[in-house]
Coordinates of all heavy atoms in Angstrom, one line a residue:
D1 N 0.9 -1.2 0.0 CA 0.0 0.0 0.0 C 0.9 1.2 0.0 O 1.5 1.6 1.0 CB -0.9 0.0 1.2 CG -1.8 1.2 1.3 OD1 -1.9 2.0 0.3 OD2 -2.5 1.4 2.3
D2 N 1.0 1.9 -1.2 CA 1.8 3.1 -1.3 C 1.1 4.4 -1.1 O 1.7 5.5 -1.2 CB 2.6 3.1 -2.6 CG 1.7 3.1 -3.8 OD1 0.4 3.1 -3.6 OD2 2.2 3.1 -4.9
G3 N -0.1 4.4 -0.7 CA -0.9 5.6 -0.4 C -0.9 6.6 -1.5 O -0.9 6.3 -2.7
D4 N -0.8 7.9 -1.1 CA -0.8 9.0 -2.0 C 0.4 9.8 -1.8 O 0.4 10.6 -0.7 CB -2.1 9.8 -1.9 CG -2.2 10.9 -2.8 OD1 -1.2 11.4 -3.3 OD2 -3.3 11.4 -3.2
P5 N 1.5 9.8 -2.6 CA 2.7 10.5 -2.3 C 2.5 12.0 -2.1 O 3.0 12.6 -1.2 CB 3.5 10.3 -3.5 CG 3.1 9.0 -4.1 CD 1.6 9.0 -3.8
K6 N 1.6 12.7 -2.9 CA 1.4 14.1 -2.8 C 0.7 14.4 -1.5 O 1.0 15.4 -0.8 CB 0.6 14.6 -4.0 CG 0.5 16.1 -4.1 CD -0.2 16.6 -5.3 CE -0.2 18.1 -5.4 NZ 1.2 18.6 -5.5
E7 N -0.3 13.6 -1.2 CA -1.0 13.8 0.1 C 0.0 13.7 1.3 O -0.1 14.5 2.2 CB -2.1 12.8 0.3 CG -2.9 13.0 1.6 CD -3.9 11.9 1.8 OE1 -3.5 10.7 1.7 OE2 -5.1 12.2 2.2
L8 N 0.8 12.7 1.3 CA 1.8 12.5 2.4 C 2.7 13.7 2.5 O 3.0 14.2 3.6 CB 2.6 11.2 2.1 CG 3.5 10.8 3.3 CD1 2.7 10.4 4.5 CD2 4.5 9.7 2.9
G9 N 3.2 14.3 1.4 CA 4.0 15.4 1.4 C 3.3 16.6 2.1 O 3.8 17.3 2.9
M10 N 2.0 16.8 1.8 CA 1.2 17.9 2.4 C 1.0 17.6 3.9 O 1.0 18.6 4.7 CB -0.1 18.0 1.6 CG 0.0 18.4 0.2 SD -1.6 18.4 -0.7 CE -2.5 19.6 0.3
Q11 N 0.9 16.4 4.2 CA 0.7 16.1 5.7 C 1.9 16.3 6.5 O 1.9 16.8 7.6 CB 0.3 14.6 5.8 CG -1.2 14.3 5.3 CD -1.5 12.9 5.2 OE1 -0.7 12.1 4.9 NE2 -2.8 12.5 5.6
Y12 N 3.1 16.2 5.8 CA 4.3 16.5 6.5 C 4.4 18.0 6.8 O 4.8 18.5 7.8 CB 5.5 16.1 5.7 CG 6.1 14.8 6.0 CD1 5.4 13.6 5.7 CD2 7.4 14.6 6.5 CE1 5.9 12.4 6.0 CE2 7.9 13.4 6.8 CZ 7.2 12.2 6.5 OH 7.7 11.0 6.8
G13 N 3.9 18.8 5.8 CA 3.8 20.2 6.0 C 2.9 20.6 7.2 O 3.3 21.5 8.0
A14 N 1.8 20.0 7.3 CA 0.8 20.2 8.4 C 1.5 19.9 9.7 O 1.3 20.6 10.7 CB -0.5 19.5 8.2
L15 N 2.2 18.7 9.7 CA 2.9 18.3 11.0 C 4.0 19.2 11.4 O 4.3 19.4 12.6 CB 3.4 16.9 10.8 CG 2.3 15.8 10.8 CD1 3.0 14.4 10.4 CD2 1.5 15.7 12.1
H16 N 4.6 19.9 10.4 CA 5.7 20.8 10.7 C 5.2 22.0 11.6 O 5.9 22.5 12.4 CB 6.3 21.3 9.5 CG 7.6 22.1 9.7 ND1 7.6 23.5 9.8 CD2 8.9 21.7 9.9 CE1 8.8 23.9 10.0 NE2 9.6 22.9 10.0
T17 N 3.9 22.4 11.4 CA 3.4 23.4 12.2 C 3.2 23.0 13.7 O 3.2 23.8 14.6 CB 2.0 23.9 11.7 OG1 1.1 22.8 11.8 CG2 2.1 24.3 10.3
L18 N 3.1 21.7 13.9 CA 3.0 21.1 15.3 C 4.3 20.8 15.8 O 4.5 20.7 17.0 CB 2.1 19.9 15.3 CG 0.7 20.1 14.7 CD1 -0.1 18.7 14.7 CD2 -0.1 21.0 15.6
L19 N 5.3 20.5 14.9 CA 6.6 20.2 15.3 C 7.6 21.1 14.7 O 8.3 20.8 13.7 CB 7.0 18.7 14.9 CG 6.1 17.6 15.6 CD1 6.5 16.3 14.9 CD2 6.4 17.6 17.1
P20 N 7.7 22.4 15.1 CA 8.6 23.4 14.5 C 10.1 23.0 14.4 O 10.8 23.6 13.6 CB 8.3 24.6 15.3 CG 7.8 24.2 16.6 CD 7.0 22.9 16.3
R21 N 10.5 22.1 15.3 CA 11.9 21.7 15.3 C 12.1 20.4 14.4 O 13.2 19.9 14.4 CB 12.3 21.4 16.7 CG 12.2 22.6 17.7 CD 13.0 22.3 18.9 NE 14.4 22.4 18.7 CZ 15.3 21.9 19.5 NH1 14.9 21.1 20.6 NH2 16.6 22.0 19.3
M22 N 11.1 20.0 13.6 CA 11.3 18.9 12.7 C 12.2 19.2 11.6 O 11.9 20.0 10.7 CB 9.9 18.4 12.2 CG 10.0 17.1 11.4 SD 8.3 16.6 10.9 CE 7.9 17.7 9.6
T23 N 13.4 18.6 11.6 CA 14.4 18.9 10.6 C 14.9 17.6 9.9 O 15.6 17.7 8.9 CB 15.6 19.6 11.2 OG1 16.1 18.9 12.3 CG2 15.2 21.0 11.7
V24 N 14.5 16.5 10.4 CA 15.0 15.2 9.8 C 13.7 14.5 9.3 O 12.8 14.2 10.1 CB 15.7 14.3 10.8 CG1 16.1 13.0 10.2 CG2 16.9 15.1 11.4
V25 N 13.6 14.3 8.0 CA 12.4 13.7 7.4 C 12.8 12.5 6.5 O 13.9 12.5 5.9 CB 11.6 14.7 6.6 CG1 11.0 15.8 7.6 CG2 12.4 15.4 5.5
G26 N 11.9 11.6 6.3 CA 12.1 10.5 5.4 C 10.8 9.7 5.4 O 9.7 10.1 5.8
G27 N 10.9 8.5 4.9 CA 9.7 7.6 4.7 C 9.9 6.3 5.4 O 11.0 5.8 5.6
C28 N 8.8 5.6 5.7 CA 8.8 4.3 6.2 C 8.0 3.4 5.3 O 8.1 3.5 4.1 CB 8.3 4.3 7.7 SG 9.0 3.0 8.7
C29 N 7.1 2.5 5.9 CA 6.4 1.5 5.1 C 5.6 2.0 3.9 O 4.8 3.0 4.1 CB 5.4 0.7 6.0 SG 6.2 -0.1 7.4
G30 N 5.9 1.5 2.8 CA 5.1 1.9 1.6 C 5.7 3.1 0.8 O 5.2 3.4 -0.3
T31 N 6.7 3.7 1.3 CA 7.2 4.9 0.7 C 8.4 4.6 -0.3 O 9.1 3.6 -0.1 CB 7.8 6.0 1.7 OG1 8.8 5.4 2.5 CG2 6.6 6.4 2.6
D32 N 8.6 5.5 -1.2 CA 9.7 5.3 -2.2 C 10.1 6.7 -2.6 O 9.8 7.7 -1.9 CB 9.3 4.5 -3.4 CG 8.1 5.0 -4.1 OD1 7.9 6.2 -4.2 OD2 7.4 4.1 -4.7
H33 N 10.9 6.8 -3.7 CA 11.4 8.1 -4.1 C 10.3 9.2 -4.4 O 10.5 10.4 -4.2 CB 12.3 8.0 -5.3 CG 11.5 7.5 -6.6 ND1 11.1 6.2 -6.8 CD2 11.1 8.2 -7.6 CE1 10.5 6.1 -7.9 NE2 10.4 7.3 -8.4
R34 N 9.1 8.7 -4.8 CA 8.1 9.7 -5.1 C 7.6 10.4 -3.8 O 7.4 11.6 -3.8 CB 6.9 8.9 -5.7 CG 7.2 8.3 -7.0 CD 6.0 7.4 -7.4 NE 5.8 6.3 -6.4 CZ 4.6 5.7 -6.1 NH1 3.5 6.1 -6.8 NH2 4.6 4.8 -5.2
H35 N 7.5 9.6 -2.7 CA 7.0 10.2 -1.5 C 8.1 11.1 -0.9 O 7.8 12.2 -0.4 CB 6.8 9.1 -0.4 CG 5.8 8.1 -0.9 ND1 6.0 7.1 -1.8 CD2 4.4 8.0 -0.6 CE1 4.9 6.4 -2.0 NE2 4.0 6.9 -1.2
V36 N 9.4 10.7 -1.0 CA 10.5 11.5 -0.5 C 10.5 12.8 -1.3 O 10.8 13.9 -0.7 CB 11.8 10.8 -0.6 CG1 13.0 11.7 -0.2 CG2 11.8 9.6 0.4
E37 N 10.3 12.7 -2.6 CA 10.3 14.0 -3.4 C 9.2 14.9 -3.0 O 9.5 16.2 -2.9 CB 10.1 13.6 -4.9 CG 10.2 14.8 -5.8 CD 10.0 14.4 -7.3 OE1 9.7 13.2 -7.6 OE2 10.2 15.3 -8.2
E38 N 8.0 14.4 -2.7 CA 6.9 15.3 -2.3 C 7.2 15.9 -0.9 O 6.9 17.1 -0.6 CB 5.6 14.5 -2.3 CG 5.1 14.1 -3.7 CD 4.8 15.3 -4.6 OE1 4.5 16.4 -4.0 OE2 4.8 15.1 -5.8
I39 N 7.8 15.1 0.0 CA 8.1 15.6 1.3 C 9.1 16.7 1.2 O 9.0 17.8 1.8 CB 8.6 14.4 2.2 CG1 7.5 13.4 2.5 CG2 9.2 15.0 3.5 CD1 8.0 12.1 3.1
C40 N 10.2 16.5 0.4 CA 11.2 17.5 0.2 C 10.7 18.8 -0.4 O 11.0 19.9 0.0 CB 12.4 16.9 -0.6 SG 13.4 15.7 0.2
R41 N 9.8 18.6 -1.4 CA 9.2 19.8 -2.0 C 8.4 20.6 -1.0 O 8.5 21.8 -0.9 CB 8.2 19.4 -3.1 CG 7.5 20.5 -3.8 CD 6.6 20.1 -5.0 NE 7.4 19.6 -6.1 CZ 7.4 18.3 -6.5 NH1 6.7 17.4 -5.8 NH2 8.1 17.9 -7.5

């Protein structure tokens, strides 16, 4: 289940408002280069 890469990237953005010190990001189960690209964007 690889979910929705674009949605996951947006969710990281929302979580950053709750975790302003979040500076290390990556993916776990079901993620690949597409998810990482959206997170980085």
Side-chain angles (χ1 to χ4, degrees):
D1 180 8
D2 59 359
D4 183 334
K6 189 172 184 64
E7 179 188 49
L8 187 66
M10 294 174 63
Q11 288 169 324
Y12 268 66
L15 289 173
H16 189 268
T17 63
L18 302 175
L19 297 172
R21 300 193 74 202
M22 185 174 78
T23 54
V24 181
V25 294
C28 206
C29 301
T31 61
D32 56 32
H33 65 281
R34 298 169 299 153
H35 302 80
V36 173
E37 182 178 8
E38 293 295 338
I39 292 167
C40 289
R41 180 180 290 114

